[in-house]
Each structure stands twice: as C-alpha cells, then as structure tokens.
Amino acid sequence: MRAIRAASAAALLSASAVVAVAPTALADEGDQNITSFGFSVTPATVAPGGTVTLTSDGCEVPSVTVTSGVFETVTLNEGRPGTATVDFDAKAGAQYKITFDCKGERGTTTLTIGGGSTGGHTGGDTGGHDNATQSGAHKGVKAGYGTAANGADSEGLGVTEVVTGVLLIAGALGAAVVLTRRRDADGRA
C-alpha cells in the first residue's frame, strides 16, 4: 500500500513540474527555426563587400527567394546555389538576418560582418569555402518534430525534450499505479 501512495505522490509531483515548465517550453518553441527545407549561408562571417554562397535544398517549388538588408534579393533556381555580394557599407561586427522563402514558408539565419576590406571565400583546398565559418543547414524533420539543426547550439537537452521526458515518466508512473490498484482489487474479490 505504501508503494501505491509513493507512486501516486511521484506522479503528482511530476505533473506539477510539467505545469511549472510548460509555459517556458511553449515560449521556447517559437524560437526554433524548423523548416521542411534546408538552407545555409557560407561563410557565416564575411567582410563588407565580400561574397557569400546561398544554398537551399528540399523545397518543392523550383525557386527559393533569399532576402536580407545587407545584399540584393537573390532567387535560387532548381536547388542550385547562388551568390550575393555584401554591401560595402555593412557595419563590421553587425549581424544581419537572412530569410529564405520557399512557397511562403520562411527560414532565417544570420550573417556576421567581420572587419577588414576583403571578403568572400578564403580559398584553399576547401573549394572556396572557409569550413571554420560555415553555418549548418537549418533543416527540420518532415515526418515529425525536429530540433535546431545548428550543431554547436543544440548540445544537450532542450526544454522541449525535458518536458517530454517528464510527461513520459509521469504517464508510466500513473499506469503503474492504475495497474497495481486493479491487481489489488482483483486479489481481494
């Protein structure tokens, strides 16, 4: 009987933790940039006047429109990458929002403006890309719920994962309590 009371108390405690954390999880949900298509800007840091490569994949329409306040609008056709030249008057150290539009679905990333007068790709054996500053593709999971795809920012568990885990544990404890009570009731009859 003590086990049933302990399990009931644990289930109530888990449920109260979920109620306390849920508003934070819902607010955090809007901060994630999950899209049904992938996109990236490389390099992620460029000097004023430099060139960036814009890529998109998985969009079901033939063109993706890329806009920003730091370069002219670019249209990517048939999933092919495109380039954009950053304005010469872009402020060093500033971050600019880059928006990829795939048939009305929008995904965003940021481009950081570095110091110096030369920009664009650094060359070398990387095919013109500076691998140290490439930003990862922001691509969500089409078949279900995905998390942020930027590797460095997605280490560890997020609020959504913790809340989901607590809900699963609370559900399992509740089921155990119900089954134990049914078994005890059947044994007494």
Side-chain angles (χ1 to χ4, degrees), residues 67-135:
T67 56
S68 176
V70 73
F71 56 76
E72 297 291 323
T73 299
V74 175
T75 301
L76 305 177
N77 292 313
E78 303 294 334
R80 293 186 198 110
T83 59
T85 302
V86 175
D87 295 340
F88 284 99
D89 61 351
K91 184 178 177 186
Q95 289 189 333
Y96 290 89
K97 182 170 130 179
I98 312 297
T99 303
F100 290 77
D101 188 330
C102 168
K103 65 178 180 178
E105 180 182 12
R106 293 189 175 113
T108 60
T109 188
T110 57
L111 176 65
T112 302
I113 306 301
S117 60
T118 60
H121 304 297
T122 58
D125 295 328
T126 61
H129 299 288
D130 181 1
N131 288 332
T133 59
Q134 287 185 1
S135 66

Side-chain angles (χ1 to χ4, degrees), residues 52-75:
V52 293
T53 300
L54 308 165
T55 57
S56 174
D57 66 342
C59 185
E60 296 175 0
V61 295
S63 64
V64 174
T65 304
V66 185
T67 56
S68 176
V70 73
F71 56 76
E72 297 291 323
T73 299
V74 175
T75 301

Side-chain angles (χ1 to χ4, degrees), residues 19-48:
V19 170
V21 176
T24 306
L26 292 174
D28 188 43
E29 200 65 32
D31 296 338
Q32 295 182 3
N33 194 11
I34 300 172
T35 62
S36 64
F37 66 101
F39 56 88
S40 66
V41 176
T42 52
T45 302
V46 66

Side-chain angles (χ1 to χ4, degrees), residues 4 176-188:
I4 293 172
V177 168
V178 168
L179 291 174
T180 304
R181 286 187 178 173
R182 283 185 183 166
R183 187 184 61 189
D184 288 345
D186 290 341
R188 291 183 193 156

